[in-house]
């Protein structure tokens, strides 16, 4: 009896040769930018200008230009910080975890996802830095030699853990991204026409020759970095969640936050990867490289992590009821029925209900539907962070401290500006 092993679905379609692959992948780099690209870049650049003006205004006038008040001392700033860090999660997950599990479908999307990680973390870093109020003293949280008198960082604070976790995550992700690009940069170098271009590509490819020895060392270092990065994927958003979980505020003081935040970060990260790659696939004619199979695999991850996030929402409500603590119970009832009910139900609709459509193979292989759903995921995860932060703070123990939060034009300008910064990069 002859055993026929199942043949894996093709990762690159269209009967491409190695030369065809090089030509197709290098074409967007070697050709002049299209008018559509120039228009998109111009819009992003305008948004980046809004970011510069908003941050300059904040620095000159102060944090009072934001919508924060005596009850809601964290508003859009930390909402946007956690949202951007979450988006940065998928890149390292795709690169590191899928490399360790030998998932070959990562190869078409990992470079884009890694770049997205780095740019998203850069956007996230803006918010806590300017929330300090005195951005020129941003080096104070770093454990530098004690030359500042009696000042020393508080190692018990999860806000300081953020500094370590996110800076380590950024460093490893940047190294992983750059290492992965070295053979690609060498390919562009070998195709370069001018001596100047060839020199710089050779410099950044570190003289890559493609020998067996270099490929062997490349594979070894990639696996080492993947092994380092994988626990970082779990630790970074776990530590971000501890900004909330180590407090005593009802709605925050819960042990479910670390796994719940990690699942949510992977969920939002894959949502953004889908949003970007569906566009890139169409604009750069990469349908043979980013196939329906790739999009379907990412849609399955979105479906799984969306279900985990939904389970976390239900668990939070159950534990609040089971605890018998009236303040915890009120915090969650207020989220669903209080003044910010519209934010809560937007979150539930986008994060819990919409991913369930992905159980249908017909829907998760429909590119237009997948693209629309990915945008809903991005919106829903922003609302999740808004709900966690604002609805837990706007009503304190004393009714005299109850205050509503609404963003100012500076808040909105900074948020739009970070989106512009992200797309410029």
């Amino acid at each position: 009896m002859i055993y026929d092993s199942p043949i894996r679905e093709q990762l690159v379609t269209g009967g491409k040769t190695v030369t065809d692959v090089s030509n197709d992948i290098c074409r967007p780099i070697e050709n002049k930018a299209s008018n559509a690209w120039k228009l998109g870049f111009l819009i992003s650049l305008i948004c980046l200008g809004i970011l510069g003006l908003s941050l300059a205004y904040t620095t000159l006038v102060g944090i009072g230009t934001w919508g924060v008040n005596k009850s809601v001392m964290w508003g859009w700033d930390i909402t946007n910080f956690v949202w951007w860090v979450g988006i940065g999660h998928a890149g390292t997950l795709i690169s590191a975890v899928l490399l360790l599990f030998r998932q070959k479908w990562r190869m078409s999307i990992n470079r884009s996802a890694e770049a997205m990680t780095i740019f998203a973390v850069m956007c996230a870093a803006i918010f806590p830095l300017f929330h300090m109020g005195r951005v020129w003293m941003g080096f104070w949280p770093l454990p530098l030699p004690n030359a500042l008198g009696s000042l020393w960082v508080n190692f018990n604070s999860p806000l300081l853990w953020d500094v370590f976790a996110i800076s380590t995550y950024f460093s490893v992700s940047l190294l992983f991204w750059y290492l992965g690009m070295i053979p690609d940069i060498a390919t562009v170098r070998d195709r370069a026409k001018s001596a100047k271009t060839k020199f710089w590509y050779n410099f950044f490819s570190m003289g890559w020759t493609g020998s067996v020895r270099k490929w062997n060392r490349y594979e070894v270092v990639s696996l080492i970095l993947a092994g380092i990065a994988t626990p970082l994927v779990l630790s970074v958003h776990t530590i971000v969640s501890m900004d909330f979980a180590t407090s005593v505020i009802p709605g925050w003081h819960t042990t479910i936050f670390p796994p719940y935040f990690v699942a949510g970060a992977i969920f939002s990260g894959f949502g953004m990867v889908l949003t970007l790659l569906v566009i890139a696939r169409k604009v750069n004619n990469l349908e043979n490289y980013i196939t329906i199979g790739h999009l379907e695999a990412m849609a399955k991850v979105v479906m799984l992590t969306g279900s985990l996030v939904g389970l976390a929402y239900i668990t939070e409500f159950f534990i609040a009821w089971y605890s018998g603590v009236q303040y915890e119970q009120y915090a969650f009832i207020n989220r669903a029925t209080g003044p910010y009910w519209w934010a809560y139900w937007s979150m539930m609709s986008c994060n819990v209900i919409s991913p369930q459509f992905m159980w249908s193979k017909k829907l998760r292989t429909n590119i237009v539907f997948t693209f629309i759903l990915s945008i809903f995921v991005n919106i829903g995860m922003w609302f999740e962070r808004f709900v966690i932060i604002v609805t837990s703070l706007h009503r304190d123990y004393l009714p005299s401290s109850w205050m509503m939060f609404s963003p100012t034009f500076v808040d909105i300008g900074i948020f739009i500006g970070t989106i512009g910064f992200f797309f410029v990069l």
Side-chain angles (χ1 to χ4, degrees):
M1 182 178 176
I2 298 173
Y3 176 73
D4 293 326
S5 63
I7 298 172
R8 187 187 64 195
E9 192 176 326
Q10 279 187 313
L11 291 175
V12 177
T13 58
K16 301 286 185 179
T17 64
V18 175
T19 305
D20 293 333
V21 173
S22 294
N23 290 336
D24 291 345
I25 300 300
C26 293
R27 190 183 300 115
I29 303 167
E30 296 169 342
N31 292 354
K32 288 185 177 180
S34 65
N35 290 332
W37 186 93
K38 289 176 181 174
L39 177 63
F41 188 76
L42 178 64
I43 293 168
S44 302
L45 210 56
I46 291 167
C47 292
L48 180 57
I50 293 170
L51 174 66
L53 291 171
S54 301
L55 292 178
Y57 186 67
T58 299
T59 305
L60 289 169
V61 180
I63 299 299
T65 58
W66 295 2
V68 290
N69 52 55
K70 67 178 183 180
S71 293
V72 186
M73 72 293 288
W74 285 0
W76 268 36
D77 48 332
I78 304 298
T79 300
N80 296 331
F81 163 71
V82 181
W83 186 69
W84 278 118
V85 172
I87 286 172
H89 244 62
T92 308
L93 181 89
I94 289 169
S95 298
V97 178
L98 298 186
L99 173 64
L100 293 175
F101 282 98
R102 305 294 186 185
Q103 295 296 307
K104 299 295 183 184
W105 63 269
R106 69 181 275 279
M107 297 299 290
S108 291
I109 59 174
N110 68 317
R111 200 79 73 245
S112 308
E114 289 162 19
M116 183 196 77
T117 288
I118 292 152
F119 303 153
V121 172
M122 289 167 70
C123 291
I126 291 169
F127 292 98
L129 198 60
F130 281 84
H131 195 187
M132 293 177 70
R134 298 175 177 86
V135 70
W136 53 91
M137 294 179 177
F139 63 92
W140 279 20
L142 302 176
L144 299 169
N146 194 0
L148 300 171
S150 59
L151 179 71
W152 191 243
V153 291
N154 179 13
F155 287 104
N156 291 328
S157 170
L159 296 174
L160 183 65
W161 309 342
D162 273 353
V163 174
F164 288 108
I166 293 171
S167 59
T168 306
Y169 179 66
F170 179 78
S171 304
V172 172
S173 298
L174 185 65
L175 192 60
F176 202 32
W177 176 59
Y178 183 70
L179 179 82
M181 285 198 300
I182 287 174
D184 305 338
I185 295 169
T187 301
V188 181
R189 173 201 64 195
D190 296 339
R191 297 164 61 92
K193 299 290 192 294
S194 69
K196 184 180 177 182
T197 307
K198 192 178 284 288
F199 169 80
W200 283 112
Y201 275 110
N202 187 57
F203 175 79
F204 286 111
S205 66
M206 301 183 181
W208 175 271
T209 59
S211 65
V212 173
R213 176 181 289 183
K214 292 204 172 186
W215 272 111
N216 180 53
R217 289 177 177 173
Y218 172 86
E219 293 285 344
V220 169
V221 175
S222 294
L223 284 170
I224 290 169
L225 283 172
I228 295 169
T230 299
L232 281 175
V233 173
L234 301 174
S235 71
V236 169
H237 231 60
T238 297
I239 289 171
V240 169
S241 77
M242 288 178 183
D243 293 345
F244 306 96
T246 55
S247 72
V248 292
I249 294 173
W252 287 6
H253 190 65
T254 170
T255 52
I256 199 176
F257 264 20
Y260 157 28
F261 266 52
V262 169
I266 295 167
F267 179 58
S268 62
F270 268 90
M272 184 60 85
V273 171
L274 272 171
T275 303
L276 297 175
L277 288 183
V278 167
I279 297 170
R281 178 179 186 269
K282 184 69 177 174
V283 171
N284 294 326
N285 300 315
L286 298 174
E287 287 87 352
N288 291 313
Y289 304 98
I290 304 170
T291 64
I292 297 294
H294 290 95
L295 299 179
E296 185 183 6
M298 289 190 284
K300 287 177 179 176
V301 176
V302 168
M303 180 181 71
L304 171 66
T305 49
S307 301
L308 289 172
V309 167
L311 177 64
Y313 294 160
I314 296 165
T315 305
E316 277 190 311
F317 257 95
F318 172 77
I319 294 298
W321 166 78
Y322 189 71
S323 69
V325 178
Q326 60 178 328
Y327 305 108
E328 283 285 335
Q329 292 170 354
Y330 176 77
F332 286 96
I333 293 168
N334 182 53
R335 282 183 186 179
T337 62
Y340 290 107
W341 64 269
W342 48 272
Y344 179 82
W345 291 108
S346 297
M347 172 192 83
M348 292 296 284
S349 302
C350 294
N351 293 350
V352 181
I353 298 168
S354 64
Q356 303 312 314
F357 289 105
M358 288 300 185
W359 287 99
S360 166
K361 184 177 177 69
K362 185 177 180 181
L363 289 176
R364 68 174 179 261
T365 54
N366 183 309
I367 295 171
V368 175
F369 181 83
T370 303
F371 179 70
I372 293 169
L373 182 89
S374 70
I375 293 172
F376 273 112
V377 168
N378 295 323
I379 293 169
M381 288 309 293
W382 187 91
F383 272 114
E384 182 204 278
R385 278 64 185 249
F386 179 82
V387 165
I388 288 172
I389 293 161
V390 174
T391 62
S392 299
L393 292 173
H394 85 112
R395 289 194 170 175
D396 206 341
Y397 293 100
L398 296 174
S400 58
S401 299
W402 289 7
M403 294 189 77
M404 295 294 288
F405 169 84
S406 55
T408 64
F409 72 95
V410 181
D411 284 314
I412 296 167
I414 294 174
F415 180 50
I416 292 171
T418 53
I419 294 172
F421 181 42
F422 180 77
F423 281 104
V424 163
L425 292 171

